[in-house]
Amino acid sequence: MNTTEDTGTRKLLSALSHGSIFFNTLILAVGVPIAILLISKDSLIKESAKEAINFHINMWFWWTVAGILAWVLIGIPLLVVLGIVNFIMPIVAIFYSLTQPNSVFRYPLILRLF
């Protein structure tokens, strides 16, 4: 484990990576964890940023699928579930990052692209 960052910085940057999904613009929401991934030297912060990016990509994919399926009304319940997951899981990840800065939160049931 690379411990080049102090615990406060690790907490802040990891929480910011996960919380960036609440930013309104699409580019800023994924841009923040990408910037943190590129700037940080701490391996745990980098892993948190990767996890947040993977969550963003998974959510974009599932929102697209649910949006297409909503045209035939099948996707409407999926849209509701995705809205809840999209709101609750980053909050859980932020809380985890702030309370356990020496480990990385892993989102359940997502495809990790990197």
Side-chain angles (χ1 to χ4, degrees), residues 1 7-8 17 23-24 33 42 71 73-74 76 85 98 106 109 113-114:
M1 175 174 65
T7 303
S17 291
F23 295 141
N24 284 335
D42 188 302
W71 285 92
L73 301 177
I74 298 169
I76 294 174
V85 168
L98 293 174
R106 298 284 181 202
L109 304 174
L113 301 173
F114 57 94

Side-chain angles (χ1 to χ4, degrees), residues 19-76:
S20 68
I21 201 162
F22 295 119
F23 295 141
N24 284 335
T25 62
L26 185 66
I27 302 301
L28 186 60
V30 78
V32 170
I34 289 172
I36 290 171
L37 178 66
L38 296 174
I39 292 171
S40 180
K41 292 177 177 65
D42 188 302
S43 61
L44 286 173
I45 294 172
K46 286 181 175 279
E47 285 300 313
S48 289
K50 286 180 186 178
E51 193 70 13
I53 294 166
N54 281 321
F55 183 71
H56 286 301
I57 293 169
N58 276 264
M59 287 292 101
W60 292 338
F61 173 76
W62 288 113
W63 280 109
T64 303
V65 168
I68 292 169
L69 291 175
W71 285 92
V72 291
L73 301 177
I74 298 169
I76 294 174

